[in-house]
């Protein structure tokens, strides 16, 4: 067989082989290009919502305000001078379930401080630790919103507080915003594991957003509580500790976000 015949046979094999079809190759290139554009748009959407693809590092300084919030649970809170821990102890004496409900509901701000301190100390231990802390934070903030909505409705119905209906509106708007942001972050979140599957454990809002949102909520609630001085309702100085600590958390997170390289 001559060299010319060999070249002719190779060309015929190339034509018969669909892998060498120019039209199919062009279609494959177009599909890959569209997939790349979709990935880029999804990443851009996530960044636009404030949920980066990579979990940013938390400043270690968050440990201090987080522990200060936890310590505030032992400071005077009730108008009669009782601390939250004392009230919680009495609730557990009445019934364990009542104590648990009080801890998760009224104690949500103090648990928020504990989660912040733990996250600042251990969030860099790996993806599993961050995912667990994120779940705890979402659950904590969800309970905070639920408790705020319940208490605001009761106060508005009884008419025993200043700007009670404003608190109801704030609870509804803030709770709706948190739900929408969480759903949007979950829609664009997730990461691809070693098997090429999407790991939804990494979806949802990042700790930076959760902590800033939680601190903002506590600051707003503390501000409303201090408005009750207009009707001579004076809560203890634990409110000031919560207010100052959450403001410090917000400042540290904002500075940390601005310090990150683009």
């Amino acid at each position: 067989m001559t060299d010319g015949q060999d070249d002719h046979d190779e060309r015929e094999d190339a034509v018969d082989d669909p892998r060498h079809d120019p039209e199919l190759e062009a279609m494959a290139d177009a599909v890959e290009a569209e997939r790349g554009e979709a990935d880029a748009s999804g990443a851009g959407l996530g960044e636009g919502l404030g949920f980066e693809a990579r979990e940013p590092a938390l400043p270690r300084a968050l440990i201090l305000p987080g522990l200060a919030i936890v310590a505030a649970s032992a400071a005077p809170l009730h108008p009669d001078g009782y601390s939250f821990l004392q009230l919680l102890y009495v609730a557990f004496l009445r019934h364990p379930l009542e104590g648990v409900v009080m801890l998760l509901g009224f104690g949500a701000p103090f648990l928020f401080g504990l989660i912040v301190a733990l996250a600042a100390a251990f969030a860099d231990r790996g993806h599993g630790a961050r995912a667990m802390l994120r779940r705890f934070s979402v659950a904590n903030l969800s309970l905070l919103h639920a408790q705020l909505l319940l208490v605001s409705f009761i106060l508005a119905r009884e008419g025993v507080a200043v700007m009670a209906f404003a608190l109801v509106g704030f609870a509804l708007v803030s709770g709706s915003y948190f739900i929408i942001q969480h759903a949007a972050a979950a829609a664009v979140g997730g990461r691809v594991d070693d098997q090429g599957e999407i790991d939804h454990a990494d979806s949802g809002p990042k700790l930076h957003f959760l902590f800033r949102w939680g601190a903002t909520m506590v600051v707003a609630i503390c501000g409303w509580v201090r408005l009750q001085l207009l009707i001579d309702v004076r809560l203890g100085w634990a409110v000031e500790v919560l207010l100052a600590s959450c403001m410090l958390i917000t400042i540290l997170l904002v500075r940390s976000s601005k310090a990150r390289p683009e």
Side-chain angles (χ1 to χ4, degrees):
M1 184 178 293
T2 63
D3 294 339
Q5 289 176 334
D6 292 340
D7 294 340
H8 178 70
D9 293 339
E10 290 177 358
R11 286 195 297 271
E12 287 183 348
D13 293 339
V15 172
D16 294 337
D17 191 350
R19 291 176 299 178
H20 297 281
D21 191 335
E23 294 183 359
L24 292 178
E25 292 179 355
M27 292 175 62
D29 293 340
V31 170
E32 290 295 332
E34 291 179 358
R35 183 179 300 173
E37 292 176 359
D39 293 341
S41 63
L45 176 60
E47 293 175 358
L49 291 170
F51 308 123
E52 297 85 353
R54 180 180 294 275
E55 180 84 41
L58 292 169
R60 290 283 185 177
L62 287 175
I63 297 176
L64 179 60
L67 292 179
I69 293 175
V70 176
S73 62
L77 178 64
H78 192 272
D80 293 333
Y82 299 110
S83 68
F84 172 76
L85 289 181
Q86 290 174 314
L87 298 174
L88 182 64
Y89 174 72
V90 173
F92 270 107
L93 288 179
R94 286 197 294 262
H95 196 282
L97 181 58
E98 181 180 350
V100 171
V101 172
M102 184 173 182
L103 174 63
L104 297 178
F106 286 102
F110 304 107
L111 294 177
F112 169 74
L114 178 61
I115 295 173
V116 170
L118 291 175
F122 301 110
D124 58 351
R125 295 297 180 89
H127 167 69
R130 290 193 301 271
M132 181 178 62
L133 289 166
R134 189 183 301 118
R135 293 191 185 99
F136 285 156
S137 183
V138 169
N140 170 252
L141 293 178
S142 299
L143 290 170
L144 175 64
H145 280 287
Q147 185 72 17
L148 177 62
L149 186 61
L150 175 63
V151 172
S152 63
F153 269 119
I154 294 175
L155 293 176
R157 184 187 62 185
E158 299 296 332
V160 294
V162 175
M163 298 183 66
F165 284 99
L167 186 64
V168 173
F170 173 73
L172 289 172
V173 173
S174 61
S176 300
Y177 178 82
F178 180 71
I179 293 173
I180 293 172
Q181 289 294 91
H182 183 274
V188 301
R191 67 184 181 92
V192 179
D193 58 18
D194 296 336
Q195 287 73 35
E197 300 292 335
I198 297 179
D199 182 8
H200 293 286
D202 197 44
S203 63
K206 305 303 181 185
L207 290 174
H208 261 71
F209 167 79
L210 292 172
F211 291 165
R212 286 177 62 179
W213 180 250
T216 302
M217 287 294 302
V218 175
V219 167
I221 294 171
C222 290
W224 181 88
V225 167
R226 279 310 176 211
L227 283 176
Q228 307 314 303
L229 289 172
L230 298 174
I231 55 174
D232 292 330
V233 176
R234 301 176 181 274
L235 273 69
W237 52 269
V239 176
E240 274 69 32
V241 177
L242 287 170
L243 179 62
S245 299
C246 287
M247 290 181 65
L248 180 57
I249 289 174
T250 303
I251 293 172
L252 290 173
L253 290 174
V254 170
R255 293 184 61 182
S256 174
S257 299
K258 291 182 178 180
R260 292 203 309 269
E262 299 295 337

